Amino acid sequence: MYLKINNMTRLLTTIKILMLFVFLMNGIGLKSQNVDLEKLGSIKNNKPVKFSGGLSANSIFYNGNGGTGRDPFIYYLNGNVNMNILGLIDLPFSFNITNYGAGFNYPTLPNRLCISPKYKWITAHIGDVNMTYSPYTLNGHLFRGAGVELDPKGSIKFSAMAGQFQRGVEYDPNNKVTFASYKRFGYGARLNFVKKRYKLGMIVFAAKDKVNSLILKPDSLNILPQQNLVVSWTGSVMPTKDLELTAEYATSALTRDLRDNTKLSNTGKSVLKGIFNTKNSTSFYNAIKANLNYKFKNKIIGVGYERIDPGYQTLGSYYFNNDLENITFNFAQPILKQKGNISGNFGYQHDNLDGKKFGSNKRVVYAINVNYTPNQKLYTTASYSNFQTFMYIRSQFQNINQFTQFQNIDTLNYSQISQNANFNVNYTFDRRTKKNQSVNVNLNYLDAADRQGGIVRFGNASQFFNLATSYTILFVPQSLSITAAYNASYNTIGKNEYLTLGPTVAVNSKLFKQISTSLSASYNKTKTSGVYENAVFNTRANFGYTLFTKHLFSLSLMDQWRDVKLKGNTNDIVVTLGYNYSF
């Protein structure tokens, strides 16, 4: 007889039992640990506490009339520090503190603080943490809480986590940057049994929204309090050293509205039906993935199968593809007398697995990667893929025209890519000691769609063509390099066409081994459907000074002029002061 799970207490109890089981299996008692003083040496000759890592501080001053809404002063404090105690215990510590976006209420705050103490095979994570168990369960989602990883000698490996996945954010009609969100907590554990020829694993992950965390209920925006429980079983076996079979089966129970207590028949089949507290809005989903790979000589061949039910979702991941079935074949092998390599994936993909859509999509999917290096002067790569993936779309002009390197540092503006092609060639004309010259050409094509809530709205499908060319000459004795580049970007969104073109010139120099300087200028013009839209002229100057190899002081100046149609000219100036300390 199965017991109903009404809250997260049962899951926490399960995690505690699993942790106790791990300790018992590995013979860990409550015995004291004796320190080998002969290995440690005396305190006089060996520092009992050692620090390593780095700290950085950056302050950004802005002045301009571009109407960007930027704060006149922004600061960033970052650090990664490790404290080693007696050569036995490591205490890694990281933090990120900023006043950027202080006027907004985010589900996940940009300020982050994390410490990861480690003793032998025990590692803990405390603070703002992200952990990954598998693509179908917990997959890199940031949470504020704690995690532990146990990797002792032997067959048993264990990991557990618990924390807050997002803060409660009230609906604000004047805030177009962030959406409302319920406060959400998540818990999870992973147990692996590892042998030389095979591995077995089990993952449990659960998350639940706090219904009373919001005063105003944003139901009209389809933002509802949810609950999720995912269980996954993983395994791999190697009958021979060259043959490996891996597989994962995951099942997810998702309640889309915790307030609806009506208990009706639920969709989907799952082993979780007997142990999950089902409601009217509860659905069950399954996902399975298996791969078989065989290596011989320098070649690799393999086959794979993946099936994800329509609607499959885990609250432990930001984005997820579902309603698909893939059957793939992959290979990799060297070519042209070991000077190149070719690899690829080919297969068949289709959706509408439950037959509820008005139409379905069936297609042959493939991805090909080729690289060829006939000599030290020439290096070429080419790739094409029509697999659906999530990635950032960043034109080179976003990097050229952005104010600072911290701009868009925390964006989650993902797009779904259905096709991606890339070609890159780099040729070095001269490798003499005193002067080096090289040319680089990169061409990229993307077919993308912005997806929100699983829906691609009209006008959100886009095609991007990016071309970046550059010529660089390096004068080795003078530590001086000069780069001339020309960039072009063409993309279509709905019926509109956007074309951006422009050159860039950059000079980099290093003086007296301690001082580095750079100066660059770029100009680009944008047209929309053949009509002039805007022009941007950027100048940047950077100065860096290294003191005693551990201290780096930096100063950068960015001056941007914009001529925007119907708005006239604007001018923005950004000054960044930075300090980095490594030890």
Side-chain angles (χ1 to χ4, degrees):
M1 179 179 180
Y2 293 105
L3 298 176
K4 298 290 184 179
I5 296 181
N6 297 319
N7 52 52
M8 297 301 174
T9 305
R10 302 286 180 86
L11 181 61
L12 287 175
T13 303
T14 303
I15 293 174
K16 293 178 182 179
I17 294 174
L18 286 173
M19 292 181 68
L20 179 61
F21 172 76
V22 173
F23 280 97
L24 292 176
M25 289 296 292
N26 287 277
I28 300 175
L30 298 177
K31 299 180 181 180
S32 62
Q33 299 290 333
N34 296 320
V35 179
D36 190 345
L37 296 179
E38 292 183 359
K39 292 183 179 180
L40 294 177
S42 64
I43 296 178
K44 180 179 179 180
N45 297 325
N46 295 273
K47 294 181 180 180
V49 179
K50 295 181 180 179
F51 291 92
S52 62
L55 303 171
S56 66
N58 292 273
S59 56
I60 303 171
F61 303 88
Y62 166 78
N63 183 39
N65 59 352
T68 60
R70 292 179 57 89
D71 294 328
F73 173 73
I74 300 174
Y75 66 83
Y76 293 88
L77 302 174
N78 302 276
N80 290 279
V81 181
N82 181 67
M83 181 174 64
N84 181 272
I85 303 175
L86 298 175
L88 294 175
I89 301 175
D90 286 314
L91 294 173
F93 175 81
S94 64
F95 65 88
N96 176 47
I97 301 174
T98 178
N99 66 336
Y100 182 70
F104 298 104
N105 198 5
Y106 294 97
T108 302
L109 291 176
N111 292 328
R112 295 169 187 173
L113 179 66
C114 179
I115 182 171
S116 300
K118 181 178 181 181
Y119 175 70
K120 294 186 176 180
W121 43 265
I122 303 174
T123 303
H125 305 284
I126 304 170
D128 300 302
V129 187
N130 65 77
M131 300 175 69
T132 296
Y133 287 167
S134 80
Y136 307 112
T137 55
L138 177 63
N139 189 22
H141 200 297
L142 183 71
F143 63 92
R144 175 163 289 181
V148 63
E149 295 178 275
L150 307 180
D151 188 17
K153 292 182 180 179
S155 303
I156 302 296
K157 315 294 180 183
F158 180 75
S159 176
M161 54 71 57
Q164 179 179 284
F165 274 59
Q166 64 183 29
R167 301 166 63 248
V169 177
E170 292 287 350
Y171 171 68
D172 182 1
N174 298 319
N175 186 357
K176 306 299 181 181
V177 179
T178 59
F179 295 101
S181 63
Y182 285 89
K183 183 181 291 186
R184 177 177 298 165
F185 293 91
Y187 315 84
R190 178 177 61 183
L191 179 65
N192 288 332
F193 183 77
V194 181
K195 286 294 185 180
K196 183 177 181 181
R197 292 292 186 182
Y198 66 92
K199 301 177 184 178
L200 297 173
M202 180 178 179
I203 301 169
V204 179
F205 173 76
K208 184 178 181 180
D209 291 342
K210 189 174 181 180
V211 177
N212 297 325
S213 59
L214 294 185
I215 299 175
L216 301 176
K217 311 300 182 184
D219 293 3
S220 61
L221 300 176
N222 201 30
I223 299 175
L224 308 171
Q226 302 182 80
Q227 183 178 11
N228 181 219
L229 173 64
V230 187
V231 178
S232 172
W233 293 269
T234 62
S236 67
V237 60
M238 296 182 64
T240 67
K241 65 177 183 178
D242 298 321
L243 182 65
E244 182 179 19
L245 172 64
T246 62
E248 179 177 3
Y249 169 72
T251 181
S252 175
L254 179 67
T255 298
R256 301 189 183 277
D257 190 352
L258 284 170
R259 298 166 300 178
D260 187 355
N261 293 315
T262 306
K263 295 187 178 181
L264 300 175
S265 59
N266 310 112
T267 61
K269 298 179 179 180
S270 172
V271 296
L272 300 180
K273 273 196 171 182
I275 61 174
F276 189 76
N277 185 25
T278 59
K279 298 177 181 292
N280 184 38
S281 62
T282 301
S283 297
F284 298 90
Y285 310 98
N286 299 285
I288 185 172
K289 185 175 184 179
N291 290 282
L292 178 65
N293 290 293
Y294 178 63
K295 302 177 183 179
F296 61 100
K297 295 183 179 179
N298 295 325
K299 301 177 178 63
I300 300 175
I301 59 173
V303 293
Y305 175 78
E306 182 180 26
R307 187 187 191 279
I308 307 175
D309 284 350
Y312 187 102
Q313 185 178 351
T314 169
L315 298 183
S317 178
Y318 289 107
Y319 299 96
F320 206 86
N321 276 325
N322 56 46
D323 190 15
L324 61 88
E325 186 175 41
N326 288 329
I327 302 173
T328 59
F329 165 78
N330 63 277
F331 74 94
Q333 71 171 47
I335 56 176
L336 301 173
K337 299 180 180 181
Q338 311 292 322
K339 294 182 178 180
N341 187 76
I342 182 171
S343 62
N345 291 273
F346 301 88
Y348 171 75
Q349 181 185 86
H350 72 99
D351 62 357
N352 197 20
L353 301 185
D354 56 4
K356 294 183 179 180
K357 292 181 179 179
F358 291 106
S360 60
N361 181 25
K362 301 178 181 179
R363 62 174 183 162
V364 175
V365 293
Y366 48 90
I368 302 175
N369 298 277
V370 180
N371 64 73
Y372 178 54
T373 309
N375 50 57
Q376 294 183 347
K377 292 185 177 182
L378 179 64
Y379 175 75
T380 60
T381 62
S383 65
Y384 174 81
S385 171
N386 70 344
F387 281 91
Q388 289 188 350
T389 58
F390 285 107
M391 63 165 54
Y392 292 105
I393 295 181
R394 288 182 63 84
S395 163
Q396 64 269 25
F397 292 104
Q398 286 184 274
N399 295 323
I400 293 173
N401 294 336
Q402 72 175 1
F403 288 118
T404 71
Q405 69 270 32
F406 300 101
Q407 189 174 345
N408 301 321
I409 194 171
D410 240 2
T411 180
L412 288 176
N413 186 23
Y414 277 92
S415 292
Q416 188 180 48
I417 307 300
S418 58
Q419 295 185 80
N420 179 21
N422 179 267
F423 174 74
N424 182 78
V425 57
N426 190 87
Y427 184 77
T428 302
F429 290 99
D430 199 342
R431 284 188 175 272
R432 293 179 296 179
T433 305
K434 295 183 178 181
K435 185 174 67 175
N436 294 332
Q437 301 178 69
S438 64
V439 171
N440 181 266
V441 178
N442 183 274
L443 177 63
N444 195 31
Y445 163 73
L446 300 172
D447 188 0
D450 292 328
R451 184 177 291 255
Q452 298 178 357
I455 300 174
V456 179
R457 292 176 172 79
F458 177 76
N460 283 359
S462 308
Q463 289 184 322
F464 291 78
F465 298 85
N466 293 318
L467 173 66
T469 61
S470 65
Y471 165 77
T472 300
I473 181 170
L474 171 63
F475 300 94
V476 178
Q478 295 82 11
S479 296
L480 174 67
S481 68
I482 302 174
T483 300
Y486 193 85
N487 302 294
S489 177
Y490 171 78
N491 65 285
T492 62
I493 301 178
K495 295 182 179 181
N496 294 324
E497 299 179 352
Y498 299 89
L499 176 64
T500 304
L501 304 168
T504 298
V505 177
V507 179
N508 296 273
S509 178
K510 193 169 185 179
L511 307 174
F512 311 114
K513 295 183 179 181
Q514 291 87 19
I515 301 175
S516 60
T517 60
S518 67
L519 179 66
S520 66
S522 63
Y523 174 81
N524 52 83
K525 180 185 294 186
T526 300
K527 292 183 178 181
T528 302
S529 300
V531 179
Y532 173 81
E533 189 72 27
N534 63 69
V536 182
F537 178 70
N538 298 295
T539 56
R540 301 175 187 269
N542 298 281
F543 173 85
Y545 176 71
T546 303
L547 179 64
F548 302 128
T549 70
K550 293 185 177 182
H551 306 270
L552 174 62
F553 301 88
S554 61
L555 169 65
S556 66
L557 171 66
M558 188 268 195
D559 190 0
Q560 183 178 96
W561 290 85
R562 283 180 178 266
D563 178 35
V564 183
K565 180 182 177 182
L566 303 180
K567 292 185 179 180
N569 296 328
T570 62
N571 179 224
D572 297 289
I573 299 176
V574 179
V575 179
T576 304
L577 294 174
Y579 169 72
N580 291 269
Y581 174 58
S582 59
F583 50 93

